[in-house]
């Protein structure tokens, strides 16, 4: 592997510019603060690794005290298509029982990962469980629809702002579609 950042960016067609992402993430943070207003026990749970950048930006705009942790569930590996099963590689240590939990996702595609994860987290008996996703392809049928959505996304393979292809591209400050070839 011997390619420059210019080569990398040439292979990604930008869909959501950094400024647009930052504006929307700020709005989401404020909406979340308003929705949980009056509570001081909110737990924001980011799905690894894809939501790390979204989480870092979002929590700076959540206007109420809260804790954060991560949950590691994977269904993709290096493939571009969902295998439809979930593997937990990080189980959060933070207590979830009797407190509001907000699950942060990078993207909802088939929703298989999320569906399985939601069922698992419900067994921890949070006071409430809601989903916030940065991107939603709107092709899934979930028992629990996301309460907060950043952007509707095209049904393409997206990378950047946390989203990877074979662990590359996560560092890009924008979200784009990976060109074929
Ligand atoms: P789902 O179960 O909804 O099909 O997707 C599970 C996970 O696959 C998502 O949380 C995300 O990590 C990954 N994924 C889904 N769609 C995309 C995509 O377009 N690009 C990338 N990089 N990852 C995706
Ligand atoms: Mg994910």
């Amino acid at each position: 592997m011997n390619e420059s950042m210019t080569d990398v960016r040439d292979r990604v067609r930008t869909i959501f510019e950094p400024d647009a992402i930052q504006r929307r993430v700020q709005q989401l943070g404020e909406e979340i603060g308003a929705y949980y207003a009056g509570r001081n026990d909110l737990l924001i749970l980011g799905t690894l690794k894809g939501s790390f950048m979204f989480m870092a930006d979002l929590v700076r705009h959540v206007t109420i005290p809260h804790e954060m942790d991560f949950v590691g569930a994977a269904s993709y590996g290096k493939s571009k298509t969902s295998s439809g099963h979930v593997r937990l590689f990080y189980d959060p240590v933070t207590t979830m029982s009797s407190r509001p939990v907000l699950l942060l996702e990078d993207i909802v595609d088939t929703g298989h990962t999320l569906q399985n994860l939601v069922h698992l987290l419900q067994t921890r008996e949070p006071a409430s469980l809601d989903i916030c996703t940065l991107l939603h392809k709107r092709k899934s049928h979930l028992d629990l629809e996301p309460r907060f959505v950043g952007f509707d996304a095209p049904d393409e393979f997206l990378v950047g702002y946390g989203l990877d292809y074979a662990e590359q591209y996560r560092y890009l400050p924008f979200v784009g579609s990976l060109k074929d070839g």
Side-chain angles (χ1 to χ4, degrees), residues 42-117:
L42 174 64
L43 174 64
I44 297 183
L45 207 55
T47 55
L48 291 170
K49 304 175 208 171
S51 72
F52 85 96
M53 200 176 281
F54 178 36
M55 179 138 159
D57 286 340
L58 183 82
V59 295
R60 281 178 259 198
H61 299 289
V62 174
T63 49
I64 55 159
H66 58 279
E67 288 180 32
M68 59 195 90
D69 203 340
F70 293 93
V71 59
S75 70
Y76 260 74
K78 290 190 175 182
S79 162
K80 278 196 187 181
T81 52
S82 179
S83 56
H85 63 83
V86 159
R87 187 173 53 86
L88 266 200
F89 56 85
Y90 175 69
D91 195 340
V93 290
T94 312
T95 304
M96 281 180 234
S97 83
S98 307
R99 69 192 303 187
V101 173
L102 181 65
L103 189 61
L104 279 199
E105 259 286 21
D106 47 0
I107 188 163
V108 181
D109 183 355
T110 66
H112 289 137
T113 315
L114 203 51
Q115 185 87 354
N116 289 316
L117 191 54

Side-chain angles (χ1 to χ4, degrees), residues 1-21:
M1 191 97 107
N2 181 15
E3 62 179 4
S4 69
M5 290 294 278
T6 314
D7 296 334
V8 167
R9 283 173 183 247
D10 279 349
R11 262 185 282 112
V12 183
R13 184 174 55 83
T14 305
I15 297 178
F16 301 105
E17 298 278 4
D19 286 358
I21 295 173

